[in-house]
mmCIF file of all heavy atoms in Angstrom:
data_model
loop_
_atom_site.group_PDB
_atom_site.id
_atom_site.type_symbol
_atom_site.label_atom_id
_atom_site.label_comp_id
_atom_site.label_asym_id
_atom_site.label_seq_id
_atom_site.Cartn_x
_atom_site.Cartn_y
_atom_site.Cartn_z
ATOM 1 N N LEU A 248 12.113 4.211 -6.133
ATOM 2 C CA LEU A 248 12.001 5.181 -5.045
ATOM 3 C C LEU A 248 10.570 5.338 -4.567
ATOM 4 O O LEU A 248 10.330 5.680 -3.407
ATOM 5 C CB LEU A 248 12.539 6.546 -5.494
ATOM 6 C CG LEU A 248 14.051 6.759 -5.465
ATOM 7 C CD1 LEU A 248 14.375 8.147 -5.995
ATOM 8 C CD2 LEU A 248 14.591 6.559 -4.046
ATOM 9 N N ALA A 249 9.608 5.059 -5.449
ATOM 10 C CA ALA A 249 8.199 5.286 -5.085
ATOM 11 C C ALA A 249 7.784 4.435 -3.899
ATOM 12 O O ALA A 249 7.126 4.888 -2.990
ATOM 13 C CB ALA A 249 7.305 4.995 -6.295
ATOM 14 N N TYR A 250 8.174 3.150 -3.903
ATOM 15 C CA TYR A 250 7.792 2.316 -2.768
ATOM 16 C C TYR A 250 8.726 2.538 -1.577
ATOM 17 O O TYR A 250 8.290 2.420 -0.410
ATOM 18 C CB TYR A 250 7.752 0.820 -3.167
ATOM 19 C CG TYR A 250 9.069 0.071 -3.043
ATOM 20 C CD1 TYR A 250 9.453 -0.458 -1.827
ATOM 21 C CD2 TYR A 250 9.906 -0.133 -4.142
ATOM 22 C CE1 TYR A 250 10.648 -1.154 -1.691
ATOM 23 C CE2 TYR A 250 11.087 -0.841 -4.023
ATOM 24 C CZ TYR A 250 11.462 -1.346 -2.803
ATOM 25 O OH TYR A 250 12.633 -2.018 -2.686
ATOM 26 N N ILE A 251 9.985 2.880 -1.831
ATOM 27 C CA ILE A 251 10.937 3.070 -0.744
ATOM 28 C C ILE A 251 10.589 4.291 0.085
ATOM 29 O O ILE A 251 10.675 4.291 1.318
ATOM 30 C CB ILE A 251 12.378 3.155 -1.300
ATOM 31 C CG1 ILE A 251 12.868 1.761 -1.707
ATOM 32 C CG2 ILE A 251 13.325 3.757 -0.260
ATOM 33 C CD1 ILE A 251 14.240 1.714 -2.303
ATOM 34 N N ASN A 252 10.132 5.359 -0.573
ATOM 35 C CA ASN A 252 9.871 6.595 0.135
ATOM 36 C C ASN A 252 8.402 6.785 0.516
ATOM 37 O O ASN A 252 8.020 7.830 1.074
ATOM 38 C CB ASN A 252 10.323 7.795 -0.696
ATOM 39 C CG ASN A 252 11.837 7.846 -0.855
ATOM 40 O OD1 ASN A 252 12.569 7.355 0.002
ATOM 41 N ND2 ASN A 252 12.310 8.452 -1.915
ATOM 42 N N LYS A 253 7.591 5.805 0.241
ATOM 43 C CA LYS A 253 6.148 5.955 0.462
ATOM 44 C C LYS A 253 5.784 5.989 1.950
ATOM 45 O O LYS A 253 4.806 6.629 2.341
ATOM 46 C CB LYS A 253 5.393 4.849 -0.246
ATOM 47 C CG LYS A 253 3.871 4.941 -0.100
ATOM 48 C CD LYS A 253 3.177 3.856 -0.891
ATOM 49 C CE LYS A 253 1.679 3.892 -0.651
ATOM 50 N NZ LYS A 253 0.982 2.817 -1.401
ATOM 51 N N HIS A 254 6.539 5.299 2.775
ATOM 52 C CA HIS A 254 6.128 5.103 4.180
ATOM 53 C C HIS A 254 7.051 5.818 5.172
ATOM 54 O O HIS A 254 7.250 5.367 6.290
ATOM 55 C CB HIS A 254 6.104 3.607 4.496
ATOM 56 C CG HIS A 254 5.181 2.807 3.611
ATOM 57 N ND1 HIS A 254 3.816 2.806 3.791
ATOM 58 C CD2 HIS A 254 5.423 2.038 2.517
ATOM 59 C CE1 HIS A 254 3.261 2.039 2.864
ATOM 60 N NE2 HIS A 254 4.205 1.580 2.094
ATOM 61 N N THR A 255 7.606 6.977 4.737
ATOM 62 C CA THR A 255 8.564 7.675 5.579
ATOM 63 C C THR A 255 7.926 8.179 6.877
ATOM 64 O O THR A 255 8.590 8.196 7.933
ATOM 65 C CB THR A 255 9.176 8.868 4.827
ATOM 66 O OG1 THR A 255 8.136 9.663 4.257
ATOM 67 C CG2 THR A 255 10.096 8.390 3.725
ATOM 68 N N SER A 256 6.643 8.534 6.840
ATOM 69 C CA SER A 256 6.014 8.995 8.094
ATOM 70 C C SER A 256 5.892 7.850 9.097
ATOM 71 O O SER A 256 6.118 8.022 10.294
ATOM 72 C CB SER A 256 4.630 9.594 7.810
ATOM 73 O OG SER A 256 3.777 8.620 7.173
ATOM 74 N N GLU A 257 5.548 6.635 8.588
ATOM 75 C CA GLU A 257 5.479 5.480 9.492
ATOM 76 C C GLU A 257 6.858 5.094 10.006
ATOM 77 O O GLU A 257 7.003 4.615 11.129
ATOM 78 C CB GLU A 257 4.851 4.275 8.754
ATOM 79 C CG GLU A 257 3.357 4.404 8.519
ATOM 80 C CD GLU A 257 3.043 5.030 7.185
ATOM 81 O OE1 GLU A 257 3.964 5.630 6.560
ATOM 82 O OE2 GLU A 257 1.878 4.923 6.734
ATOM 83 N N GLU A 258 7.909 5.310 9.189
ATOM 84 C CA GLU A 258 9.277 4.981 9.618
ATOM 85 C C GLU A 258 9.667 5.781 10.859
ATOM 86 O O GLU A 258 10.418 5.286 11.703
ATOM 87 C CB GLU A 258 10.257 5.277 8.481
ATOM 88 C CG GLU A 258 10.193 4.296 7.322
ATOM 89 C CD GLU A 258 11.212 4.649 6.255
ATOM 90 O OE1 GLU A 258 12.403 4.784 6.589
ATOM 91 O OE2 GLU A 258 10.823 4.785 5.066
ATOM 92 N N LYS A 259 9.179 7.001 10.968
ATOM 93 C CA LYS A 259 9.514 7.818 12.121
ATOM 94 C C LYS A 259 8.946 7.253 13.420
ATOM 95 O O LYS A 259 9.467 7.508 14.513
ATOM 96 C CB LYS A 259 8.997 9.259 11.905
ATOM 97 C CG LYS A 259 9.675 9.972 10.742
ATOM 98 C CD LYS A 259 9.047 11.337 10.510
ATOM 99 C CE LYS A 259 9.675 12.017 9.309
ATOM 100 N NZ LYS A 259 9.039 13.334 9.012
#
Side-chain angles (χ1 to χ4, degrees):
L248 279 178
Y250 88 83
I251 285 179
N252 292 334
K253 182 177 176 180
H254 302 282
T255 51
S256 59
E257 288 91 345
E258 288 180 53
K259 295 175 183 177

